[in-house]
Amino acid sequence: MNPEGLPYRPCAGFMLVNHAGLVFVGQRIDPSAHGFWQMPQGGIDKGEDVREAALRELHEEVGVAAHMVDVIAQSARPYLYDLPPELLGRVWKGKYRGQEQHWFLGRFLGSDADIDLEAHDPPEFNAWRWVAPEALPDLIVPFKRAVYEGLVAEFRALI
């Protein structure tokens, strides 16, 4: 399959940090990403505002509602990644070559007890933890590593 003619899937993500400056990550249930950890993110619905999409995904995936977050920043640009050849044509019904991700940084105002991985059915994650921002690129699937490196560099001074 030739990815050149395919668009990028619009996506929004959220880097949620706690008061200690650590970042939330969830371990993916999805078999193709099993063992990898990522920040909450997902597709933007048609006509949906990117900030609203990021907050919706945060609530759906980890149970953290908008009132539990102080949004600090939006990434200066969208981050793109391409799917590896073995996933191209298999995910998202073969409609996309990768994702164009719009990211937000926010401080978590709640407590760990507020995190609910089963807030949405089906759940995205089977476990979660707080990690140092610098650890993020080593936890994500390799084809998304450059995105996480860019986010850490962009948001580090604000964390």
Side-chain angles (χ1 to χ4, degrees), residues 75-154:
S75 58
R77 63 174 178 84
Y79 287 83
L80 301 176
Y81 75 81
D82 290 322
L83 290 169
E86 65 272 14
L87 293 179
L88 195 61
R90 291 186 36 213
V91 297
W92 308 310
K93 300 177 183 174
K95 293 196 260 181
Y96 303 101
R97 67 187 292 173
Q99 288 191 338
E100 175 183 276
Q101 298 185 322
H102 301 264
W103 283 91
F104 291 82
L105 170 67
R107 181 99 36 222
F108 183 42
L109 305 175
S111 70
D112 287 0
D114 293 318
I115 294 174
D116 179 9
L117 299 184
E118 296 185 14
H120 187 262
D121 187 26
E124 295 275 335
F125 305 121
N126 60 14
W128 68 273
R129 61 184 169 151
W130 297 106
V131 300
E134 293 75 21
L136 290 169
D138 292 330
L139 298 174
I140 189 68
V141 292
F143 61 89
K144 294 182 185 179
R145 191 164 287 144
V147 170
Y148 276 31
E149 289 168 347
L151 289 170
V152 170
E154 181 174 353

Side-chain angles (χ1 to χ4, degrees), residues 19-62:
H19 291 286
L22 300 175
V23 179
F24 175 94
V25 290
Q27 186 177 41
R28 294 285 312 215
I29 289 175
D30 168 0
S32 68
H34 183 68
F36 291 103
W37 298 74
Q38 73 175 43
M39 295 180 286
Q41 57 101 69
I44 299 171
D45 295 334
K46 187 172 182 155
E48 188 176 28
D49 174 77
V50 293
R51 178 184 168 121
E52 293 305 314
L55 289 167
R56 176 184 50 76
E57 288 293 335
L58 183 64
H59 187 249
E60 287 178 1
E61 294 186 2
V62 301

